[in-house]
Amino acid sequence: MAEHILLHHRDIPGLDQMDVYEKDGGWATYKRAVTEMTPQAVVDVVKAAGLRGRGGAGFPTGVKWGFLPKDVFPRYMVVNADESEPGTFKDREIMEGNPHLFLEGTAISTYAIQSNVAYIYIRGEYLSTARILQQAIDEAYAKGYLGKNLFGTQYSLDMYIHLGAGAYICGEETALLNSLEGLRGQPRLKPPFPAAVGLYSKPTIINNVETLANVRPIVERGAEWYKTLGTEKSPGVKIFCLSGNIKRPGNYELPLGTPIRYLIEELGGGTYDGTAVKAILPAGASAPMIPASAMDTRMDYEAMVTAGSTLGSASFIILGEHDSVPAAALKMVRFFKHESCGKCTPCREGTYWAQKVLERINDGTGVVPDVELVETIANQIAGKCFCPLGEFATSPMIYTIKHFRSEFEAQVQGSRPRRNWREAVPQRLEPTLAMREL
Amino acid sequence: MTTLTIDGQVFDVAPGTTVLEAALANRIDIPRLCYHPDLVPSGGCRLCLVEVEGRPNPQASCGLKCDEGLVVHTQSDRLTALRRDIIDLFVSDHPLRCAVCDKNGACDLQRYAYQYGISETAYDFELSRPLFQEDNPFFVRDHQYCILCNKCVRVCDEIVGANAIEVAGRGFTSHVATPFDGPMVDSACVFCGSCVQVCPTAALLPTSRLRKGREWELTRQRTICGYCGVGCGVEFATQGQQIIYAQGYRAAPVNGEFLCVKGRFGWDFAQHPDRLTQPLVRRDLLEPRPPTADGRPLATATTPTEETVTSDGQRSSVGGPPSAVRGRPSGPGVRRPSVVGRPSADFVPVSWEQALDIIATKLADTVKTHGSDAVAGLSSARCTNEENYLFQKLFRATIGTNNVDHCARLCHSSSVTGLGMAFGSGAMTNPIRDIRNADCILITGSNTAESHPVISYEVVRATKLGANLVIIDPRRVPLVDHATLFLQPKPGTDIYIFLAMAHVILREGWADTAFIAGRTEGFEAFEYSVREVTPQVAALMSGVPAELIEQAARMYALGQRADAPSADGRPQTADGSQTDNTDYALRNTQSIARGHSTILYAMGITQRSNGTELVLTLANLAMLSGQIGKPSTGVNPLRGQSNVQGACDMGALPNVLPGYQPVTDAAKRQAVAQAWDLADLPAQPGITVVEMMHAVLAGKVKAMYVMGENPMLSDPNLTHVEEALRALDFLVVQDIFMSETAQLAHVVLPAASYLEKDGTFTNTERRVQMVAPVLPAPGQSLPDWQIVGQVGEKLEAKLGHAAEKAAAWRYTSTTAIMDEIARVTPSYGGIHHHRLSGEGLTWPCPTDDHPGTPILHTAKFTRGLGKFHAVPVNLPAEQPDADFPLILTTGRILYHYHTGTMTRRSEGLNWRESRGYAEVHPYDAEQAGLRDGGPALVTSRRGQVRTQVRVTDRVPQGTIFLSFHWKEAPANVLTQDFKLDPLAKIPEYKVCAVRIESPKAAAQGKQAAGAVEA
């Protein structure tokens, strides 16, 4: 690819500086939108471009903006920068390397939804990123891109950064809103959806960082240009995060619809240890694992579903021939168990038991029925959870076993389970925080 | 209406109903663990999943709104499998020790495990959360049994508004916790036990319930709580003659399931060893002793140092040497009353026969020698309607005097007078349940969360639904946490705020002109009277910013909601700021629909030397804004005691007969007389509580009969009260404990408590409800109606009246008394016990087929037209000066009630708050050299009290607060009785001038003064 769109900072050094960014035509699109376009016109362009949400669900962004109830104000723009999916680091690079592109996109979008405030909810671990972003916001205020009565119009716009406190669940949009309001980070009952009743019970749009980074190019160059990239149903470019057993891990900006094989073999250079690719996790821990046989699948929202997985946040984690699938399953389940918010029963209890059983399988004290037990737990969780994260937690249980059952069975068949494993295996109960006998 | 199909049946439901609600309303059971009808759906337990046609995944029915044409299936193989999975996961982490579990038989999880056949779990790992917390005497927390349904957390937030608990930790390590897992008492917990009530398992249990029998072994009895005037329904679970626990029940018309700490946990006083169990007579009444030098035989009977020794040799739990420095600070003749809990050696137990004989003889002698008006009686706001009716009948019909009053004089007599003048009826105009639907609630002079906790739940619910809450109070009461506006005037200056609000409403054109024209009179004089009280004037006098007063006026007059959807803040036009537009829009208010605003007030308004005027001012505001006579509006005095409304209704007041029929109205009086088989009744209004004490010292009253009241703590200027009671020739006290007043009595009669008798209570919203016995009365104690009946019978004989008169006092049941009440009391005309089984009846209920009147003044006011009164500005009678620079205001605290006779004998309540304290502002504390928790002397012109300091900004600078529950530090030693409200005769408990100092500084001051003199 000749020129990066989202990762443009790789082409122009110092693009994170205001003057460089301005020289590259930065913030001009925003000024043009506020002074020359109606909010609806902006919405129409984004809708026409067919931009789909890059947070994972792939919902058309323009359509989402259209869900806002008319005549209810104030409205809020909330940016989901709580990038917590294992193996996902695309938003971080945008915010650190090309912060003004993101901020300009956010500003245009906030104008489009007729809001005066944008809250950027950024994960707490991204403290350094947040500092870079805050500096960029300060520069934008200094330059008069943010603040009161912008460009001589009546439009005002403020942006605030809010740091999360380290919870995966707060990437779920309603949990994010709760956290932003100072409540416990747990998802809310839907409906009502945030577009109708969101932050502080007001209409709210929540968009991912990468989604908003696409907005300036779309408004600048037009919907028709944007649709020349990617596929018909998944237009545009996408950043693919490549990690795991791979020679050249990192972010790759590609048009949607590029085959997986191109990403792994041409760009990634194959596995790090030189073995054949065994399995691919296309969206961190959340999406079903796919075997290497699916390497020729095109990376767009539809094709990935056909292949039995989802595109999600497009963070591809690669497993090589020697990598243990049961170990990977345990690692992912442990992640979900650690991040379960505790609101709904299946996720809270199920992930705990699944971790226990997978631990047993992995440390050689499992029994043959344990493999089925993991599937049973997954089925006990599946379809009953409050929010999608509980459902995601079943993927590493179901699909690892589905594609690599023999590895699990080998793990338990070779083991010699103790007669009384309860005594033999130290029960590592989570220390209950500050609990004490009174 | 929305139509949907559930399991093949078609239902029409109101829009907004959830599928679960629709199903439950139609007796279709859907399993559920985190659902509670009063809480916002959480959707966390995932048990209430149902299948909806056209949707691939099962949906949680608790959060699923009924859409038109929805087709729902609540039972299917798939759902059964799903539910089994969920229950299995619950059970995986829950000990199935049902056989030894106190919740056995009442546990929701057990029920579903049984229904879905889950007996064990597939996960044989060690169980988690092995934590049992017993850090308070009210309830225990056993986290092993917790299923994290979050109902406790939600009820604490959404209903109670205390926010004491929250889930801590994440995922599997989640547990319900106080802040930093500290003890419950350090949290914001108010120990109402609502969490215990809603807990589906044994994770939260009343401590009193542990190992005290299985659910099916307990007997249940529903009755009405005997504490404050809210009139909550309580269900007592008993075994044998012991109460195991108390809980709310859904069908209770006032409170639903929710209670406060006193109602749920404060019943153990009934079985306290201090209970009076037999009639007692003062020894020197049986064996007369020579009078002492000062000619008062009784004064020597008790001495200040008298120890509280019980028959078994133990000190009474509430006794002990008085820590208060009572009486005037110095000077001769200061007597200190003994502070004891049980009968002292001065009393001799006698038979009922003997006791009644003495009483009848003494009272008859007094009547014969000094006339009927030499006898006075205090009836009780804690006794039933039937008992109050008999008591006042005893005085009016048998003794022949109107000298009967009760403590309503001291709390809401100005409401009865003021609202009577304005509307024609002096009671809450609207039901308590209305409050939750109000758009704006104005609370003034009421610490609702502590004095009427269950009403505060309604307020909290309303605010959670988006209502505005405006609080006008000199103290930062707990409900301020939920308020939109808090106006904190200097004590006594609130009158300016009310007048200024009226001024603003008139100035801005927010008045309801149609209502004023059609329903009221006297408007012109009123309008003229407020023309100069601008918000700026009020701000100057009260210290409350004018802007806040204007906002309060707007919210109240227009009934604005806090969550009103606004079309303002549109970016292109108005920069997101709403205020300008809103102001502009509201000036043309006639087109805007007026919301519903309600006023709640209590003793901060009434216990003032201008109490009646303040009540009139509130009535003016309501009429001015048309906020009366409709649901969720009105002027609502919150009454303090279980049956204070009823005691007033029954005519236990010196100026009115039952049903507020003035004694001066000959026709009405004679009608009552006729019903009582008399020619006429005394026409001269009697004397009021405070006047009685003055009259005793003036020698006009010689004998008193006190039923269930404790003026020795509750009345103003206690030194004076004590002098008066000691000066009486004869004093009968009928009570459940040896109260401070009973200590001064000649005869003490043991009465049954509200847990031991039947009858009716009329709560603050005028609802007459049945009281049922839960326990047998201890020892020889009798229900008050039986005692009064026997006194009446004996007295008629001693007075030489006809035998039929005595026979008429032989009532067989409270039902018969109620029937008599219905005959003589027009507003109770249709109220009989057999009609009260369900939700009770709200008076006026004139006929047997009348459904009761929950909302007063709907079509017209009781007096015809509502009357505006032009109210002058009067300030409190006693203002701070150089010697007494601070303002003392008195009131109640959550854990105690009235003079503490009951609550201080309740183990838990006394544990939570066992000593009196003075709330002092940090600045004042520093000025006086006081430290938090240290001792302090509070002195007024009338006396001195030693108490503990609590430094807090709940009180404004310049004001200190004392509660009046404490015999060791009786606030009413300080309060004044020289200036009463001229109309209602209510004393000004809320404002008097005091000074506060540390005992050390006081001693040094005295020394220094002595040195100067020397």
Side-chain angles (χ1 to χ4, degrees), chain B residues 647-898:
Chain B
C648 293
D649 299 343
M650 291 302 109
L653 296 170
N655 57 337
V656 290
L657 294 162
Y660 304 100
Q661 307 175 82
V663 292
T664 48
D665 185 328
K668 287 180 175 165
R669 186 179 69 237
Q670 273 152 15
V672 175
Q674 217 156 41
W676 289 346
D677 205 12
L678 289 166
D680 202 354
L681 291 166
Q684 173 73 27
I687 49 178
T688 63
V689 173
V690 184
E691 288 170 333
M692 280 179 197
M693 301 305 162
H694 294 309
V696 172
L697 287 176
K700 289 181 197 151
V701 168
K702 300 287 184 189
M704 277 184 77
Y705 184 177
V706 178
M707 173 172 82
E709 293 242 328
N710 193 5
M712 271 303 295
L713 270 187
S714 62
D715 287 15
N717 195 357
L718 291 183
T719 319
H720 179 79
V721 172
E722 187 188 347
E723 265 176 57
L725 292 178
R726 283 185 189 279
L728 280 169
D729 286 351
F730 186 62
L731 174 62
V732 188
V733 174
Q734 177 174 321
D735 210 314
I736 62 172
F737 289 111
M738 200 69 186
S739 69
E740 291 69 25
T741 308
Q743 281 297 315
L744 305 178
H746 299 84
V747 180
V748 181
L749 300 177
S753 76
Y754 73 93
L755 292 168
E756 298 143 6
K757 60 187 173 190
D758 65 354
T760 56
F761 280 164
T762 305
N763 78 348
T764 182
E765 57 173 0
R766 297 170 282 110
R767 188 186 296 276
V768 185
Q769 304 185 96
M770 281 304 292
V771 176
V774 175
L775 298 170
Q780 297 175 33
S781 62
L782 289 174
D784 296 86
W785 64 272
Q786 291 183 14
I787 305 176
V788 176
Q790 291 182 35
V791 170
E793 189 183 342
K794 283 242 156 52
L795 189 56
E796 294 279 3
K798 294 276 180 199
L799 286 168
H801 295 165
E804 312 85 75
K805 289 263 192 284
W809 279 99
R810 283 185 212 120
Y811 291 95
T812 51
S813 68
T814 53
T815 310
I817 306 173
M818 197 69 203
D819 292 342
E820 185 179 319
I821 294 171
R823 279 199 297 278
V824 303
T825 315
S827 54
Y828 277 64
I831 299 182
H832 302 282
H833 282 183
H834 66 87
R835 291 190 68 195
L836 300 175
S837 52
E839 300 211 323
L841 282 168
T842 318
W843 68 257
C845 174
T847 55
D848 284 359
D849 52 1
H850 193 282
T853 314
I855 303 176
L856 292 176
H857 320 306
T858 46
K860 69 185 198 59
F861 284 99
T862 311
R863 72 182 287 279
L865 290 175
K867 185 162 170 51
F868 280 100
H869 289 81
V871 173
V873 172
N874 278 312
L875 290 178
E878 195 176 62
Q879 293 289 340
D881 55 22
D883 290 339
F884 300 98
L886 301 176
I887 293 174
L888 168 72
T889 185
T890 66
R892 272 160 59 170
I893 63 169
L894 174 62
Y895 299 95
H896 288 288
Y897 173 71
H898 210 235

Side-chain angles (χ1 to χ4, degrees), chain A residues 167-243:
Chain A
Y168 175 72
I169 185 66
C170 292
E172 198 281 335
E173 56 181 10
T174 56
L176 186 154
L177 293 180
N178 266 2
S179 175
L180 195 53
E181 287 184 20
L183 303 170
R184 192 172 155 75
Q186 286 192 330
R188 298 177 181 175
L189 210 53
K190 289 192 275 194
F193 290 93
V197 181
L199 186 65
Y200 306 119
S201 301
K202 295 294 176 192
T204 303
I205 290 295
I206 302 155
N207 281 136
N208 175 260
V209 172
E210 189 188 350
T211 314
L212 294 172
N214 276 291
V215 171
R216 179 199 141 188
I218 289 171
V219 177
E220 189 178 8
R221 306 195 202 178
E224 288 313 312
W225 163 79
Y226 194 74
K227 283 190 351 198
T228 60
L229 305 163
T231 68
E232 191 197 338
K233 283 187 173 167
S234 305
V237 291
K238 172 93 190 76
I239 301 174
F240 296 91
C241 312
L242 192 56
S243 65

